[in-house]
Amino acid sequence: MRIADVLRTKGSAVATIAPDASVSELLRALAEHNVGAIVVVGAGGVAGIVSERDVVRRLHEAGADLLSSPVSSIMTADVFTCSPSDTVDSLTVVMTERRFRHVPVLSDGQLVGIVSIGDVVKSRIGQLEQSADQLQAYIAQG
Ligand code: AMP
């Protein structure tokens, strides 16, 4: 199974925010889109990614002043991205080893989707169920 197959099911919508938006605006966007991470897009394209974890950690250090700070001050600028042709299995390994739950998908430099750990788990469960059904049918045939 490839990332393109996952995007075919879930669609290509990606919640984005500008680097100079405030953390307060970020919180509103996270709640409105009901997501755990937002891709930061500037004039030159993807500039970073910011997740609810970044807010929680920085809030602990900086206190309420953080809310008026720019998103760029808390985002991760070194974003790991994947392409639609990557396999779900390879992404599972990266997400587990590097401990992040969101990966933006780029095609020819354009943002074409985002895959979360939930999407990956759902896809793997679907694959396992399909294999189990095939095995059961094979056994039932005698
Ligand atoms: P998450 O598990 O997605 O909530 O993110 C945990 C941490 O990893 C946060 O500091 C994020 O900014 C960072 N992060 C999330 N996704 C990525 C990614 N694709 N590439 C690099 N860092 C990421």
Side-chain angles (χ1 to χ4, degrees), residues 22-24 27 54-71 73-74:
S22 67
V23 172
S24 181
L27 289 176
D54 296 312
V55 179
V56 170
R57 285 180 196 145
R58 301 307 200 295
L59 203 52
H60 171 69
E61 295 158 8
D65 285 350
L66 184 77
L67 296 177
S68 53
S69 306
V71 163
S73 67
I74 68 164

Side-chain angles (χ1 to χ4, degrees), residues 1-2 6 88 118-128:
M1 172 94 58
R2 298 198 179 266
V6 175
V88 172
D119 301 322
V120 167
V121 169
K122 194 173 157 193
S123 144
R124 292 194 66 127
I125 288 174
Q127 275 178 301
L128 288 172

Side-chain angles (χ1 to χ4, degrees), residues 49-51 53-54 57 76 78-80 99-104:
I49 188 163
V50 63
S51 94
R53 279 195 192 170
D54 296 312
R57 285 180 196 145
T76 301
D78 185 14
V79 191
F80 179 87
R99 293 176 176 270
F100 44 62
R101 298 169 293 178
H102 304 88
V103 175

